[in-house]
Amino acid sequence: MDTSFHMSLPCLSIKDTKNFYVNSIGASLGRHTQSWVDINLFGHQITFIKAGKFNFNNPNYVFEGRILPSFHFGLIVDSISWKEIYNTFKDTDLELVTKTTFLDGKLGQHTSFFIKDPNDYMLEFKSFKKPNEIFKS
């Protein structure tokens, strides 16, 4: 089944959020008002709703010796797209975090990096060496 996900998140500024996702990430703009915006992120709908100050008190966690943000969302893309996306972002002013390969040589091997958006959300881009292993354990 070919499906898309929808996620709704609070944000501090519609203008800054829209600018980041459309102009920095390359997503496309969907429906929007002054208080919310739909972003088409690789075919998935993320709605950001202006909510003022908010706080997620989730600690980081350690995976394979790396400190990673426990609260994050992201996209799984093929390896060619991942390299193109990473190369696009690596020389920008965006805050790139933790480019690495996880589970190297093991089931579920994947390469990943994170970018922080203007709301302090961490957006992960990941690519599996063998896409059929995404859900295998």
Side-chain angles (χ1 to χ4, degrees):
M1 179 185 337
D2 187 20
T3 61
S4 298
F5 73 80
H6 161 75
M7 179 170 35
S8 180
L9 298 168
C11 76
L12 298 171
S13 165
I14 295 297
K15 179 182 174 186
D16 292 346
T17 300
K18 184 170 42 172
N19 181 55
F20 175 81
Y21 283 93
V22 174
N23 297 324
S24 297
I25 299 293
S28 60
L29 182 63
R31 299 172 299 139
H32 58 282
T33 70
Q34 290 182 349
S35 60
W36 59 269
V37 61
D38 282 342
I39 300 293
N40 176 348
L41 188 64
F42 293 85
H44 303 285
Q45 183 190 51
I46 302 178
T47 301
F48 290 97
I49 300 168
K50 186 168 180 166
K53 205 164 196 175
F54 56 91
N55 190 345
F56 293 101
N57 291 316
N58 293 315
N60 294 330
Y61 71 102
V62 177
F63 182 62
E64 293 193 334
R66 301 256 185 202
I67 298 173
L68 301 173
S70 62
F71 184 77
H72 67 274
F73 64 97
L75 298 167
I76 300 170
V77 296
D78 63 78
S79 62
I80 293 170
S81 297
W82 187 93
K83 288 175 187 169
E84 289 173 356
I85 292 166
Y86 180 77
N87 286 333
T88 298
F89 297 149
K90 72 178 182 176
D91 295 324
T92 66
D93 292 336
L94 300 176
E95 184 179 338
L96 282 129
V97 181
T98 313
K99 175 197 173 272
T100 193
T101 297
F102 294 104
L103 301 170
D104 196 16
K106 299 176 185 171
L107 183 70
Q109 178 178 325
H110 62 279
T111 304
S112 179
F113 73 92
F114 295 84
I115 295 177
K116 186 179 283 192
D117 87 354
N119 302 294
D120 286 335
Y121 294 127
M122 295 302 283
L123 174 59
E124 180 181 16
F125 290 88
K126 99 173 32 175
S127 178
F128 282 80
K129 182 176 182 180
K130 297 179 182 175
N132 65 336
E133 293 182 356
I134 291 171
F135 295 108
K136 290 188 177 178
S137 60

